[in-house]
Amino acid sequence: MPITAPGIGSGLDVNSIVSQLLAVERLPLNALDRKEAVFQAKISAYGNIKGALSSFQTAVRGLSDIARFQTIKATSADTTVYTAAASSSAVPGNYAVEVTQLAQTHSLRSEGFANLTSVVGSGTLTFQYGTLGSNPFSLNPDKTAQTVTIGASQNTLSGIRDAVNAANIGVTAIIVNDGSAGTPNKLVFTSKDTGESNSLKVTVTDDDTTHTDTSGLSQLAYDPTAVVGSGKNLVQTVAAQNALLNVNGINSISKANNTVTDVIQGVTLNLLKQAPGTTVNLTVVKDTASVKANVEAFVKAYNDINKTISDLTAYNASTKQAGLLQGDPSALSIQRQVRSVLTNALQFAGGNYTLLSQIGVSFQKDGTLKLDTNKLQTAIDSNFTDIAGLFAAVGKPSDSLISFVSATADTKPGSYTVDVTTLATQGKSVGSTPPAALTITAGSNDTLSVTIDGVSATVTLAAGTYASATALAAEVQSKINGASALTTAGAGVAVTVDGANNITVSSNLYGSASTVDILGNGAANLLGTPTNTTGVNVVGNIGGLTASGSGQTLSGAGDANGLKLLISGGAVGVSRGTVNYSQGYAYQLGKLADNLLATTGPITSRTDGITKSITGIGKQRDAINRRLGDVEQRLRAQFAAMDNLVAKLKSTSDFLTRQLASQSTSTR
């Protein structure tokens, strides 16, 4: 391939000339680069808006929780005796509280053993929970009996301890060495739950076939009704007891737990120390500081997003700089939508406040929000509970036996009438006669095959003679509710006794899925010829339209679609008043932020459009670059041709010059 040097024939700097000509041709590329830089800057600006909106979304979503604006604070005057916490349902006031006794757990100990590996015995341990009283042991129907199998590999003192703890049945087993000579190691069983009704009864099925003596596993039996050494072989070391407290002159209030939730409405007391004779004041007040902080957080969240958009869309006269999105319709639309939410009065709030300005939150000339704390305090003092309705989605039933459960984005604000024609009921099996016998005999009348809410299980009642139909009912409830298949499915029952001693087994579930069926060799003894009824769902209307019922819950249709109400009782066939449903400002702004940030929202749409423009610029750039290649090739070809022609002309010129010079010489 021949070596070429552009311009060698003509003496011109062809490379420089071509470069300069191409530089002119590249001018459109520079314009595209500038245009792309602007687009990239706008994408970055929208990224800033998206980030600010995301933070705004998080802030207002948290502020749409009604509880954040109804905070009540409970303060104990002596936190060594008890601490306190309050929910929004608490009633502000002062309470005099005296803790005279703490609740405690029941503990039983064995006799001593030489060491941890001492063999005790094998078989099963069955733990039951109940109350020790005038009737030596009254079964707790809410606590199920639990059985632990002690195999041959677990028959030592430490093996039994480990087996009981691994079973996780509500009993803790430990070994205590009391230092006594010869047999210092004692096994201690302790109920995990405090309270008199959680005292322990331990029944043993001993592999040596004698279940109540003081040898083998039966050494661990504890029947409070039995004789010491013959079924009552453990020793009570700590008696179970309830907490006792006096509140505002009401004395000897007894509770099973040191965490007391149902003495003072909406207040939880955590009892820490008994202090008989000492009254510790409890103060329950509106937590105005928390409400103020939440309102301030709302104002800040709005001002932050407003500033971000304003900075990007405004013109700064002092710096003579325009924002990256000045005049951008999408960005300005976002700002207008956020502002417009706050300028519209709430409908159907059902309270004293429908505008933020009524609690001291108002717009300034620059478009920001400002909080007047004095006006907010006045609002808190006069209508504390109504403030939440300005921010959260709230349903307010006029009937105390109707509760607002929830609503969805489809639910429209409104005042909806409520009519109930049928209350929900529970499935049940009602006995026709009192129990035929209070004595339960193994293999004879001790088995119940139950189907509760469609879930089946077989239970075995503890053999023995029960003191009353109520005591037998407690055993039935305990065993049914302890069946693993039922607990896994969340099914359960309540077993009650009427004035004639007839037993009724009722499902805990309401509605058409609530059923009870009792079979087995013990069914006739327990219920005679029972009457089984299936539960029914609540039936009624919301807003004049037929609502769908599921258990005690009514769900609306039409404008009330997504509105759920819990009907817990009351009259049927008459109007049950209304439910006012409103969507507060924080809730509305949260929904707006969701829509703006959605994949189909304006930010994604706008950035997708800009991205397409950038892609189009890339295609234009590629086309120009291809054309530049063609132009350069053409220019070089033209200059090469010119160079070649000039070279030929120069060669001819040189030839002619030589010829003329030669002629001139010969003439002389």
Side-chain angles (χ1 to χ4, degrees):
M1 184 175 182
I3 298 175
T4 61
I8 195 170
S10 62
L12 298 174
D13 188 353
V14 172
N15 286 332
S16 176
I17 294 171
V18 170
S19 296
Q20 293 178 57
L21 291 172
L22 289 176
V24 174
E25 296 289 339
R26 286 195 181 93
L27 289 177
L29 282 178
N30 297 336
L32 289 177
D33 290 342
R34 289 192 298 271
K35 193 173 182 180
E36 182 179 20
V38 171
F39 283 143
Q40 293 289 3
K42 286 188 175 183
I43 286 181
S44 177
Y46 268 105
N48 291 339
I49 291 178
K50 188 173 183 179
L53 262 178
S54 181
S55 299
F56 179 69
Q57 177 190 46
T58 301
V60 296
R61 183 174 288 159
L63 293 168
S64 65
D65 179 3
I66 188 172
R68 294 189 64 165
F69 294 92
Q70 294 181 335
T71 308
I72 305 292
K73 183 167 61 176
T75 305
S76 166
D78 186 348
T79 55
T80 66
V81 176
Y82 69 85
T83 60
S87 69
S88 60
S89 64
V91 179
N94 294 310
Y95 304 85
V97 179
E98 178 188 1
V99 181
T100 60
Q101 177 176 289
L102 292 180
Q104 61 187 26
T105 56
H106 191 215
S107 286
L108 304 169
R109 70 158 177 83
S110 70
E111 295 301 325
F113 292 85
N115 50 58
L116 302 185
T117 57
S118 296
V119 173
V120 181
S122 57
T124 62
L125 297 171
T126 298
F127 295 86
Q128 291 175 288
Y129 308 86
T131 303
L132 300 175
S134 56
N135 175 13
F137 191 79
S138 177
L139 190 67
N140 181 348
D142 297 322
K143 296 289 288 291
T144 60
Q146 303 286 347
T147 298
V148 180
T149 300
I150 307 299
S153 62
Q154 301 165 304
N155 64 1
T156 63
L157 195 64
S158 61
I160 294 171
R161 174 200 63 194
D162 295 343
V164 171
N165 289 334
N168 193 26
I169 58 171
V171 174
T172 300
I174 63 171
I175 297 171
V176 176
N177 186 323
D178 66 3
S180 58
T183 55
N185 297 292
K186 295 176 171 62
L187 184 62
V188 179
F189 294 136
T190 302
S191 172
K192 286 185 178 179
D193 293 328
T194 58
E196 295 172 357
S197 63
N198 290 311
S199 298
L200 295 173
K201 177 181 179 181
V202 186
T203 305
V204 176
T205 301
D206 199 329
D207 282 351
D208 68 7
T209 71
T210 304
H211 310 307
T212 59
D213 63 3
T214 56
S215 65
L217 191 63
S218 54
Q219 296 174 78
L220 304 181
Y222 182 79
D223 181 351
T225 66
V227 176
V228 174
S230 183
K232 190 177 182 180
N233 303 332
L234 297 176
V235 177
Q236 177 177 279
T237 56
V238 179
Q241 68 181 29
N242 284 353
L244 296 177
L245 62 160
N246 305 326
V247 178
N248 283 13
I250 301 174
N251 297 325
S252 300
I253 300 170
S254 179
K255 296 297 172 182
N257 202 291
N258 289 319
T259 300
V260 180
T261 60
D262 56 354
V263 170
I264 302 172
Q265 178 183 329
V267 176
T268 297
L269 300 175
N270 297 302
L271 310 183
L272 303 175
K273 182 176 70 176
Q274 60 189 37
T278 301
T279 298
V280 178
N281 289 329
L282 170 69
T283 304
V284 179
V285 296
K286 301 168 185 175
D287 189 357
T288 58
S290 177
V291 172
K292 285 181 179 178
N294 287 319
V295 175
E296 288 170 353
F298 177 84
V299 170
K300 181 180 184 302
Y302 171 80
N303 286 339
D304 286 348
I305 184 64
N306 182 66
K307 183 178 186 304
T308 297
I309 298 177
S310 294
D311 288 348
L312 290 169
T313 58
Y315 177 78
N316 190 322
S318 60
T319 63
K320 295 183 170 36
Q321 292 290 322
L324 289 170
L325 298 177
Q326 184 187 23
D328 187 282
S330 295
L332 292 172
S333 173
I334 291 171
Q335 188 175 47
R336 283 194 299 271
Q337 289 180 68
V338 173
R339 286 180 179 174
S340 67
V341 168
L342 302 181
T343 57
N344 296 320
L346 295 182
Q347 292 182 305
F348 311 106
N352 289 281
Y353 304 128
T354 59
L355 289 168
L356 287 172
S357 59
Q358 293 170 319
I359 65 167
V361 179
S362 57
F363 275 107
Q364 304 302 292
K365 290 181 179 179
D366 61 358
T368 62
L369 288 179
K370 184 179 179 181
L371 173 63
D372 182 338
T373 55
N374 292 329
K375 194 169 184 178
L376 175 60
Q377 185 62 55
T378 300
I380 290 172
D381 294 338
S382 57
N383 293 289
F384 180 72
T385 58
D386 287 342
I387 293 175
L390 279 173
F391 297 92
V394 180
K396 294 184 178 180
S398 60
D399 189 311
S400 62
L401 294 177
I402 298 177
S403 303
F404 170 73
V405 177
S406 62
T408 68
D410 294 330
T411 311
K412 295 181 179 179
S415 182
Y416 300 100
T417 58
V418 181
D419 301 287
V420 179
T421 55
T422 303
L423 292 174
T425 61
Q426 297 157 288
K428 60 183 63 177
S429 183
V430 181
S432 60
T433 60
L438 294 178
T439 298
I440 301 300
T441 304
S444 175
N445 62 350
D446 64 336
T447 301
L448 299 176
S449 297
V450 302
T451 302
I452 311 298
D453 307 335
V455 181
S456 299
T458 299
V459 300
T460 302
L461 305 180
T465 299
Y466 291 83
S468 63
T470 300
L472 179 57
E475 167 68 5
V476 172
Q477 179 174 317
S478 174
K479 287 297 175 65
I480 291 177
N481 288 342
S484 60
L486 297 176
T487 55
T488 299
V493 299
V495 183
T496 56
V497 179
D498 65 16
N501 281 332
N502 295 330
I503 289 178
T504 296
V505 182
S506 302
S507 166
N508 291 336
L509 182 69
Y510 282 85
S512 58
S514 175
T515 59
V516 175
D517 190 30
I518 310 289
L519 299 172
N521 64 27
N525 175 69
L526 188 71
L527 300 170
T529 304
T531 300
N532 293 346
T533 57
T534 299
V536 298
N537 296 321
V538 64
V539 179
N541 302 326
I542 298 177
L545 298 177
T546 301
S548 59
S550 176
Q552 293 179 291
T553 303
L554 272 182
S555 299
D559 287 351
N561 184 37
L563 177 63
K564 291 187 177 182
L565 304 175
L566 179 69
I567 315 298
S568 55
V572 297
V574 296
S575 174
R576 297 293 297 275
T578 60
V579 174
N580 286 334
Y581 174 69
S582 65
Q583 296 174 343
Y585 292 113
Y587 178 85
Q588 291 184 54
L589 289 170
K591 282 178 58 180
L592 176 61
D594 290 343
N595 293 334
L596 293 175
L597 292 170
T599 55
T600 56
I603 293 179
T604 300
S605 176
R606 185 74 177 102
T607 53
D608 285 350
I610 295 173
T611 300
K612 288 180 181 178
S613 295
I614 292 173
T615 302
I617 288 173
K619 291 179 179 178
Q620 292 179 58
R621 184 183 288 112
D622 291 342
I624 291 173
N625 282 327
R626 286 195 299 271
R627 186 170 63 80
L628 283 173
D630 294 339
V631 169
E632 182 178 10
Q633 187 176 10
R634 186 176 68 254
L635 287 172
R636 291 193 179 277
Q638 290 173 344
F639 275 106
M642 179 197 72
D643 209 32
N644 186 46
L645 178 60
V646 170
K648 288 180 179 179
L649 290 173
K650 186 178 181 181
S651 176
T652 302
S653 173
D654 290 344
F655 172 76
L656 291 173
T657 299
R658 288 194 301 272
Q659 289 297 320
L660 288 172
S662 173
Q663 295 253 346
S664 175
T665 302
S666 63
T667 303
R668 285 196 274 239

